[in-house]
């Protein structure tokens, strides 16, 4: 599933291939991609221009000239690409926005979990998912004080705590494993048992890791590519995710892959010991 760095990379690509373009037709091949009535969706957007593309957490927010916003969540495998009109599309392309300049923006999703929803601009934060979303992982929005407070209230393990978008926006399985390895915290450590030093370190690593991964255009796993179809470069810089059975870069111990809250989780048993509280 694309996480914040990948979705931000998609957003930056969309600014180049979709911003400022006017829609003159929309083809919907898989109606469930659209939350709500497909015909209303088409009629509301035909003739409109995409004025901007914003992002909150893993949600893309397409802004239209008629004061509507399309909330798009890529879920597992969703991606956007553009091409000239008239080129063939495959069976995994579910929505095509045709522009007046002869290009088209295609939404492709092999798993079909991605969704688009149209709302009035300004009301998007009252929609399920966005309504409860936590702060962006940046110095401005995500403070150590806030992080400490929500950690102390938690009764769960730290890994699922980090995956919960209500706590902090944008982390998924890859970056949760990475920031825990960087901070030498066991993924099964109870969230409310972290020391003040661990809290500060984890907080700083979350902000740093997301920023660096975004700089490298995210991580390419499975079928994820950015809006131009090229691959992110961050997978070369992963320390934990996908490295089960390999030697820890820090200490040489064999990395272990386990399941934590149903999610594959890789960590170093030596660097990231479970500390009895
Ligand atoms: Zn280690």
């Amino acid at each position: 599933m694309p996480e914040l760095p990948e979705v931000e990379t998609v957003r930056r690509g969309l600014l180049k291939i979709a911003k400022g373009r006017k829609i003159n037709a929309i083809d919907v091949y898989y109606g469930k991609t659209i939350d709500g009535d497909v015909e209303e969706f088409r009629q509301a957007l035909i003739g409109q221009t995409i004025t901007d593309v914003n992002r909150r957490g893993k949600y893309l927010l397409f802004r239209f000239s008629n004061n509507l916003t399309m909330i798009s969540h890529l879920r597992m495998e969703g991606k956007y690409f553009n091409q000239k009109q008239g080129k063939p599309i495959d069976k995994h392309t579910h929505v095509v926005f045709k522009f007046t300049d002869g290009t088209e923006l295609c939404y492709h999703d092999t798993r079909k979990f991605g969704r688009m929803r149209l709302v009035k601009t300004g009301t998007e934060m009252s929609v399920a998912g966005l309504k409860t979303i936590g702060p962006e992982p940046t110095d401005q929005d995500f403070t150590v004080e806030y992080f400490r407070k929500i950690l102390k209230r938690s009764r769960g393990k730290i890994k699922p705590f980090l995956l919960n978008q209500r706590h902090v926006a944008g982390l998924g399985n890859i970056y949760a494993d990475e920031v825990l390895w960087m901070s030498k915290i066991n993924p099964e450590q109870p969230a409310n048992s972290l020391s003040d030093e661990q809290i500060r370190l984890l907080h700083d690593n979350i902000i740093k890791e997301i920023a660096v991964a975004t700089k490298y255009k995210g991580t390419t796993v499975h079928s994820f590519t950015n809006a131009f179809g090229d691959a992110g470069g961050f997978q070369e810089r992963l320390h934990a995710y996908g490295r089960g059975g390999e030697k820890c870069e820090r200490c040489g111990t064999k990395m272990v892959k386990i399941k934590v809250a149903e999610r594959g989780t890789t960590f170093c048993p030596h660097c990231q010991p479970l500390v009895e509280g």
Side-chain angles (χ1 to χ4, degrees), residues 44-215:
L45 294 184
I46 291 170
Q48 302 305 318
T49 299
I50 299 175
T51 57
D52 207 354
V53 184
N54 302 130
R55 180 192 56 74
R56 182 72 171 84
K58 303 177 195 172
Y59 295 86
L60 291 164
L61 304 168
F62 289 72
R63 311 296 191 180
F64 293 94
S65 44
N66 59 348
N67 239 8
L68 292 177
T69 289
M70 183 179 85
I71 305 168
S72 168
H73 197 297
L74 305 170
R75 300 290 168 199
M76 303 296 284
E77 304 277 349
K79 57 186 170 186
Y80 285 98
F81 65 91
N82 71 329
Q83 63 178 23
K84 283 205 175 113
Q85 285 169 28
K87 275 187 129 185
I89 54 158
D90 73 11
K91 63 174 181 176
H92 300 299
T93 297
H94 306 309
V95 184
V96 178
F97 300 88
K98 294 182 189 293
F99 298 129
T100 54
D101 68 356
T103 66
E104 60 190 18
L105 178 70
C106 303
Y107 177 73
H108 183 280
D109 191 343
T110 52
R111 301 286 294 272
K112 295 186 171 180
F113 290 135
R115 290 293 177 268
M116 298 170 186
R117 179 168 176 172
L118 210 52
V119 298
K120 276 198 179 126
T121 297
T123 67
E124 58 275 4
M125 294 310 293
S126 59
V127 168
L130 283 165
K131 195 175 182 174
T132 53
I133 199 165
E136 291 286 307
T138 59
D139 277 322
Q140 300 91 303
D141 294 347
F142 180 50
T143 65
V144 180
E145 295 69 36
Y146 160 82
F147 195 37
R148 182 183 298 116
K149 198 170 90 186
I150 59 168
L151 281 164
K152 293 299 175 197
R153 276 206 301 252
S154 167
R155 292 181 187 180
K157 297 170 180 177
I158 187 64
K159 168 87 186 265
F161 179 94
L162 293 177
L163 295 179
N164 187 334
Q165 302 299 299
R166 290 172 182 247
H167 296 146
V168 57
L171 290 171
N173 216 31
I174 299 172
Y175 299 109
D177 279 7
E178 291 301 300
V179 295
L180 289 171
W181 182 88
M182 291 162 78
S183 311
K184 301 183 183 178
I185 296 170
N186 189 282
E188 296 193 285
Q189 191 70 38
N192 64 10
S193 73
L194 265 55
S195 69
D196 277 357
E197 196 190 327
Q198 285 179 315
I199 292 170
R200 182 170 292 279
L201 186 63
L202 182 56
H203 167 269
D204 293 354
N205 280 332
I206 290 169
I207 293 173
K208 191 167 80 184
E209 176 74 354
I210 293 294
V212 175
T214 302
K215 192 181 139 204

Side-chain angles (χ1 to χ4, degrees), residues 181 248-253 255 268-272:
W181 182 88
C248 171
E249 289 174 18
R250 220 164 18 210
C251 74
T253 303
M255 303 281 286
C268 171
H270 177 74
C271 292
Q272 298 169 262

